[in-house]
Amino acid sequence: MQAFDIRLQEDLERRIVHGIACEWQNALWVLSSQDRQQMKQPLFSLQTMKNRLGCWSAAKNEITISRGFALNYPWDDVRDVLYHEMAHQYAEQVLKTSETSPHGPDFLKACHRLRPNPKASGRYKPLH
């Protein structure tokens, strides 16, 4: 029975990652075509994260979402975190930011363009 549970968990996680990739694609349509071309589709992953809901890694071109968060919160909340991480990606890939603060003016400009909740990180408390 345990092997069956593991397969179900793996299948659910694959579906969540696929959904995240689809949401990423859909979110690009608020951007100009020039900005869309500069956004490189990243890898997506679920990882065990204790103090973060999500993370953008420029070095890996990867957006990671907390596994526990993705499995235990509504999709709207997961999407908010994805959009927040996309704003980090946008600041880096489109605005070519050199900010030392991860939530500085370029990040806020990216939030204005992509329309995520800029607070959907760290100590963010989802409504659900």
Side-chain angles (χ1 to χ4, degrees), residues 54-104:
C55 179
W56 157 248
S57 170
K60 295 179 182 178
N61 192 42
E62 179 177 36
I63 292 177
T64 302
I65 304 293
S66 164
R67 176 179 283 113
F69 185 73
L71 292 171
N72 293 299
Y73 282 84
W75 190 250
D76 292 353
D77 293 332
V78 174
R79 188 176 50 224
D80 280 348
V81 173
L82 169 66
Y83 289 175
H84 178 98
E85 299 310 327
M86 285 181 72
H88 286 293
Q89 178 188 10
Y90 181 93
E92 182 140 346
Q93 292 182 345
V94 179
L95 300 177
K96 311 292 187 208
T97 190
S98 59
E99 293 177 341
T100 56
S101 169
H103 297 118

